[in-house]
Amino acid sequence: MPAFAEFYSAINGRGRDPFPWQRRLAVHVTMTEQWPAEVGVPAGLGKTSCLDIAVWWLASQADRAPERRTAPTRIWWVVNRRLLVDSTAEHAEEIANALRDPDSLEPDERAAAVLTSVARRLGSLSADPEAPPLEVIRLRGGIASRTPTDPSRPVILLCTLPLYGSRLLFRGYGSTLHAVDAAMAGTDSLVLLDEVHLAPHLRALLSALADCTPGAQTILGEARSRTRLAALTATGDGVDRRRFDLDAEDEAHSVVRQRLDAVKPMELRMETGDSARRLADATLGLIRDASAPATCMVFANTPKTARDTFGRLRKMMAQTTADVLLVTGLTREREAARIRARILDREHGIAATRDAEVGRQRHLIVVATQTLEVGADIDAEYLVTEACGVRALTQRLGRLNRVGRHPHAQAVYVHLPAPKVRRGTTGASPDTWPVYGAEPASVLRRLQDARGGDGSGTVNLSPRRVAEVLGSPRDPPGRAPEVLPGILWEWTKTTTPPEGEAPVEPYFSGITAPQYTVSLIWRVHVPEEGQRLWPRASDREAVEVSVGEVREVLGDDDLRRLAADGVTVETTSAADLRPGDQIVLPTDRGLLDGFGWNPTASESVVDTSLVGRGLPLDARAIERLCGVALGGLIGTALGIDDDGDEDVDPAERDEAVKEILTAVKAAPTPAGWDQAEWTGFTGTLTSLAVEARKEVPRLRAKRPTPESRSGEFDETSLSAAAVELEQHGMAVAGRARQIARCIGLSFDLTDIVERAGLLHDVGKADRRFQRWLDPEGQRGALVAKSNAPQHLWEAMRIAAGWPRGGRHEDLSARLVRAWLAQNSAWGDPVQRDLLLHLVISHHGKGRPLVPPVPDGTPAVVSGLVVGASVEAPADLALVDWDQPARFRRLNERFGPWGLALLEATVIRADHAVSAGANVDLEPGR
């Protein structure tokens, strides 16, 4: 195993050695086998390297037996800001790419050997020998976010606090497999919480959850059965004796010393009037006095103030050589990527890694909210900030002269009186500022006391002096509700969430300011009630906006919300919105511009879901897209004549499709689209029209981008090729066994997980389900998968007589119960309960019930279970009323997250095999 310094240098470049504190932290983690409670390192000194340490530590334990490992498999980087300009995510990708392809870094012989060794070690931990050694997942929003594909595979996940907290508490935003997400967040995980002061309640929550399940059996050993948290903070209070700080060796390091002493003179301005105007005026003054094109960061406390400041600066700078950008957390990935590229440009951007030798041609001004306080490796020459708290000011200063190469750096602190309290407002103090409460008053006094006596009116706030000048933070942490076992029990019921259950947000965000948001996406085609959304929603197209603001802006609109399955659309109103809802807006509703959410924007919004997918054959959708009215042609293309009859000649249909394609390609480039982007999209469209029940018909794209499938409708039974039922069960059993052994489950649990994988689909032996998968009976054997096109799937189900919403895993569990009744000596009560539960929950149901559907068939389902022929009623209207008690017993035995991990092992094994993974079926391997 290479030393940490060797690994760090191999990842980060030749001749780049770790700072002393980074090397010392790696030794500390290795020797104690745990992380310190806090890593208290000032901004600009490489806290991102904690990812390097965590990955290296995991690799160092790869030669241990899985049950003896203490290094977590999953590394979460959690921050309470949306990762917009996210150097942390970029660095995680750099680590993963270097391990996957060491030659891409052009390493010397030793560095190549180091990367190859670490990659081999990490790869040995995974059940999939063909998978890259390290996976990186960025959770961007509340819709259809990715989750780890294999519980045994090393992975770095980067997300905001709500995305992590909701997953931990079995209510993951946008998730249809809550138990899998909870297992990934609540077991075998290290949470690196960036700037813990932004999430004080998460640390308390993790310890409180352990108290709710006192008798639970750990299934991975004490070190990895629960999540471990390390706070990374430049602004901690320093009261925790387990805090890791800089020492004398760090102080003596030339680069560390340069950054600690980086000049940051701040001018204090006491103003009145409009905050946006004062921020813009201060910025303009700095830019006008600059001797050369320069960079300036402008921090506002709210998105509204940031938007107003941005608008003023664009007008003021219209006749100058200046670029003005706006960065808030209310931005889609499409627009965010473009902003990010401009900010991080190696020549003209503002990144700390920018080549300082390259001269600028234009000023660059970036107006931002707290989004850029954390996780952005930015090095500005000038800074303007609205009055704020100690922690926020410390973070904002960390973006000014970050690496100490701008001796001319300057900052302006704009303090305005607290807004007047509206008459009748309860609990409000007259000296309270938005976001930061009363703290700006004490910050003002400290800055006034520290001003120099030389008449300059400035305060030197270098990293070495900032804590001395500003003192300890005085922001109260606020309160969070107490987690009780009964509340946790309600959250574990993911199949049928109880009415009136406690919302999860206050438990990780606090009572005073819980983060209640909904996800908005914009589409040219908005389905009607009961229809299914196409393409499936993606987190890349979502913007998370507060529920209150959405209600204010869309108060009179009829809204389309995605149902619990994440696909079907239902009608709702703004008043009935719930945190975590996913709303589909028509693109011509506006409300979004090139810099994100903008309630005043009226221009049409680009539908980012279409690229690589196809064109909806819907007249209103095409008119929204490119302004072309094609109503009559659409009907003809779908085989419907002017009288509504479905007897159009096939040749007429083909000709109509060609005319539609010609009209769309000839249309002017729509607003918001780049010409190349539009040409690329229309150029991929084919004349193949696809119709699917409950979905909009469409023209397919060439080599369409695959869509995520939902287990809600049994779509995981679709496959590139038909697969025999017995073969599929054996393959899932083999992969489940591999995962179980890799993560370190006991022999008994591994045996049950393997058996559950073998039996999970035996209910597909039902005659109706077989007709659904293989209508012509061509296979001659029971099948588990069908290679039928997805758009025919619904029609095939109807023809086969399989009830809509019916669950084949319910029948699988009935057959397993019948087998257990014949084999009363097999297993103890816990093992029998667990086998049944893992079978019935392999699509996320059975927590605590599988919902019944109207059926009434008198038929039975027959199948082979461990070589024995058994049968059970096939009526899907029947309910297994023993399942809730079984589910409760298993939660008490293994804990909610332990049970969820056992479920995830079977579920992810099934997904891997369904996706075509190669599985070693040799016993004992």
Side-chain angles (χ1 to χ4, degrees), residues 141 176 301 314 363 728 750:
T176 57
N301 293 343
R314 292 187 88 179
H363 297 295
H728 177 69
T750 298

Side-chain angles (χ1 to χ4, degrees), residues 627-666:
V628 179
L630 300 173
L633 281 175
I634 298 293
T636 304
L638 298 177
I640 304 172
D641 63 19
D642 294 338
D643 298 325
D645 297 327
E646 299 183 8
D647 58 357
V648 178
D649 184 85
E652 290 185 53
R653 297 183 63 175
D654 293 343
E655 185 61 31
V657 168
K658 293 178 182 178
E659 290 187 43
I660 292 170
L661 277 173
T662 300
V664 170
K665 291 180 178 181

Side-chain angles (χ1 to χ4, degrees), residues 304 422 546-557 574-575 577 589 597 599:
K304 182 181 185 307
R422 292 181 181 178
S546 72
V547 174
E549 187 168 4
V550 172
R551 285 174 177 161
E552 181 180 347
V553 175
L554 300 174
D556 296 330
D557 292 18
L577 289 178
R589 184 63 176 83
W597 167 255

Side-chain angles (χ1 to χ4, degrees), residues 12 86 93 138 174 213 285 396 401 481 539 548 655 732 741 873-874:
N12 294 281
D86 181 23
E93 294 283 3
R138 226 189 285 205
T213 54
R396 293 174 185 186
N401 197 17
D539 57 349
E655 185 61 31
V732 173
R741 289 183 174 179

Side-chain angles (χ1 to χ4, degrees), residues 589-633:
R589 184 63 176 83
L591 307 178
L592 191 82
D593 63 18
F595 294 96
W597 167 255
N598 181 4
T600 67
S602 58
E603 297 82 4
S604 186
V605 179
V606 174
D607 182 345
T608 61
S609 73
L610 297 178
V611 176
R613 296 275 168 62
L615 176 73
L617 284 178
D618 176 85
R620 185 73 185 94
I622 292 177
E623 191 170 356
R624 282 193 184 115
L625 178 63
C626 55
V628 179
L630 300 173
L633 281 175

